[in-house]
Amino acid sequence: MEKIDLRTIKEQAGKEVEEAKELKDLDKVFKKYLGKKGKLAQIFSSLRNLGEKERAELGKEANRTRKFIEKKIKEKTPFISGAEISVSKGKKERFDVTVPGKKRLLGHLHPLTLIKRKAEEIFQTIGFSVVEGPEVENEWYNFDALNIPKNHPARDMWDTFYLKGGLLLRTHTSPNQIRYMEKNNPPFRIIVPGRIFRHEATDASHEINFYQLEGLMIGKDISAANFKAIIKEFLSKFFGKEIKIRLRPSYFPFTEPSFEVDINCLVCGGKGCKVCSKTGWLELMGAGMVHPSVLRAGGINPNYWQGFAFGIGIDRLAMMKYKINDIRLFYSGDLRFLEQF
Ligand code: PHE
């Protein structure tokens, strides 16, 4: 008999909470069931007259009912109080619709991302496809396949972060020359932008991680003259004006002949500054005609195919474009710097 009572109490209280429209209504429900003289209090005081077993049982059930009603009321409260506040605000307060709104800070792209995208766009207009490759490489792709055998002194050209299990952080984007040649047949022209790592001391023009943009063009009779024309075209589109460049003979195990491309330092206009080490020229990329051994390692017959490859420093492009005199600024996370882009 009491059990049924408790069940109806539970049902009724639940329904009344549902129907409550104002805080006042919830208060009423609380008093009616959970108050000092409320329905549950009555049940608790009637326990006295019961035998031990019944008392324990009913007591438990009554406690459960109390918890249930408390929970219902607690869940409903925020809905009602929120509604009341907004209703009363509307009545009492007036809004001045002419007050300027709060300005929200908008995020934006990192300068290196802007430069990378711009470079990709220009290369795409001259027929290059954009591909990507892994930052963690193995020695085969980073060195051996690029004609840099184990124990060859040329490995010292790249100070490398070695990982466990024969892996390493790629020291350049050149491994992607091999990765692409393995899966694709010439003729083709691609660029591979990406992050690379060097175990080096940092200074105004060196960082331990930075970005490169690899280029590879293979065809029947692609020559160094084609390379020069394409790079000149790229640079003048990128900077929006004629850019002075010079090709210096150089050495890379994976190109023959090899050269380095310098551009007139745009930070100082060629007068000499800390970015160009007071020379007026800045090394922007390494390049050359792809070595026959590299073509072979990529599964391409060097008797039929030839071409050029290059690796542009994206950070250096950005430094020239925005006239920034320290590469470390890109990685400093300093908002005073980043907000200028
Ligand atoms: N991978 C070379 C470097 O990181 C650059 C390069 C790329 C040179 C392609 C020649 C051809 O220094």
Side-chain angles (χ1 to χ4, degrees):
M1 155 88 179
E2 285 87 355
K3 267 213 159 149
I4 292 169
D5 244 13
L6 273 174
R7 197 187 300 151
T8 27
I9 286 179
K10 201 167 154 183
E11 274 166 18
Q12 265 183 3
K15 205 165 134 226
E16 284 170 38
V17 170
E18 297 278 280
E19 285 166 359
K21 295 224 162 46
E22 296 178 42
L23 283 179
K24 267 199 310 221
D25 305 333
L26 275 187
D27 240 24
K28 258 193 225 150
V29 183
F30 184 89
K31 274 203 193 112
K32 180 166 164 194
Y33 294 96
L34 306 175
K36 260 192 200 149
K37 290 184 186 149
K39 296 215 170 194
L40 280 177
Q42 280 168 27
I43 287 182
F44 279 119
S45 67
S46 74
L47 290 181
R48 245 179 288 145
N49 313 320
L50 297 175
E52 202 176 308
K53 201 167 150 237
E54 265 181 301
R55 188 196 304 156
E57 244 172 54
L58 192 62
K60 237 196 243 162
E61 199 55 40
N63 263 326
R64 255 187 234 134
T65 311
R66 177 175 55 81
K67 281 205 186 115
F68 170 83
I69 301 173
E70 276 171 1
K71 192 168 151 236
K72 280 268 163 196
I73 293 180
K74 204 167 153 202
E75 283 170 356
K76 177 87 186 223
T77 309
F79 290 95
I80 293 195
S81 47
E84 276 192 351
I85 288 166
S86 56
V87 170
S88 67
K89 228 185 186 175
K91 273 189 204 141
K92 289 183 206 133
E93 287 179 21
R94 306 181 89 241
F95 293 108
D96 180 354
V97 292
T98 64
V99 172
K102 261 199 194 139
K103 202 168 173 196
R104 299 231 169 246
L105 279 181
L106 256 193
H108 59 81
L109 294 173
H110 191 278
L112 290 176
T113 308
L114 294 172
I115 293 297
K116 177 180 145 237
R117 290 196 180 174
K118 173 110 183 142
E120 286 172 0
E121 212 181 287
I122 297 172
F123 274 112
Q124 278 170 319
T125 65
I126 32 185
F128 284 75
S129 321
V130 183
V131 297
E132 286 190 341
E135 289 176 3
V136 173
E137 268 295 0
N138 58 37
E139 295 194 39
W140 165 257
Y141 285 111
N142 200 81
F143 293 125
D144 302 81
L146 291 169
N147 202 25
I148 318 169
K150 271 191 190 61
N151 306 321
H152 192 282
R155 285 218 180 178
D156 292 347
M157 290 171 72
W158 295 271
D159 298 302
T160 311
F161 286 109
Y162 286 95
L163 307 172
K164 285 191 187 132
L167 298 174
L168 47 82
L169 296 178
R170 66 176 174 195
T171 57
H172 47 185
T173 42
S174 302
N176 296 295
Q177 292 186 27
I178 306 294
R179 285 184 179 280
Y180 193 83
M181 289 193 267
E182 281 176 342
K183 298 213 175 86
N184 298 275
N185 293 323
F188 53 69
R189 43 186 126 167
I190 56 159
I191 54 166
V192 193
R195 186 182 187 189
I196 63 166
F197 307 83
R198 304 265 173 103
H199 191 185
E200 288 181 337
T202 64
D203 64 29
S205 44
H206 295 89
E207 251 295 353
I208 60 165
N209 82 98
F210 53 102
Y211 289 81
Q212 255 185 359
L213 187 134
E214 190 82 8
L216 178 66
M217 181 167 183
I218 303 290
K220 277 259 181 282
D221 43 24
I222 304 298
S223 69
N226 296 135
F227 165 72
K228 204 176 161 194
I230 281 179
I231 279 312
K232 276 218 107 175
E233 167 79 3
F234 166 73
L235 290 174
S236 60
K237 276 205 169 132
F238 182 84
F239 289 105
K241 61 178 181 196
E242 248 334 86
I243 294 291
K244 254 206 214 156
I245 65 170
R246 70 176 187 192
L247 266 61
R248 273 183 297 118
S250 182
Y251 172 72
F252 296 104
F254 33 92
T255 44
E256 180 59 36
S258 305
F259 22 86
E260 242 146 339
V261 181
D262 296 344
I263 67 170
N264 217 234
C265 180
L266 300 174
V267 173
C268 59
K271 280 200 225 63
C273 66
K274 73 171 177 173
V275 176
C276 57
S277 313
K278 306 239 181 321
T279 62
W281 292 94
L282 189 83
E283 179 197 325
L284 192 61
M285 72 186 89
M289 300 303 293
V290 180
H291 196 289
S293 304
V294 174
L295 291 169
R296 242 178 260 122
I300 290 177
N301 186 344
N303 297 330
Y304 293 105
W305 303 103
Q306 63 177 42
F308 61 78
F310 59 86
I312 306 182
I314 293 185
D315 303 70
R316 292 196 170 172
L317 268 185
M319 289 168 83
M320 293 296 108
K321 177 94 176 171
Y322 297 127
K323 302 201 187 335
I324 292 162
N325 62 12
D326 198 321
I327 187 175
R328 291 165 294 192
L329 284 166
F330 291 128
Y331 305 95
S332 66
D334 189 335
L335 288 178
R336 290 169 304 181
F337 170 72
L338 294 174
E339 272 164 6
Q340 298 173 61
F341 298 93

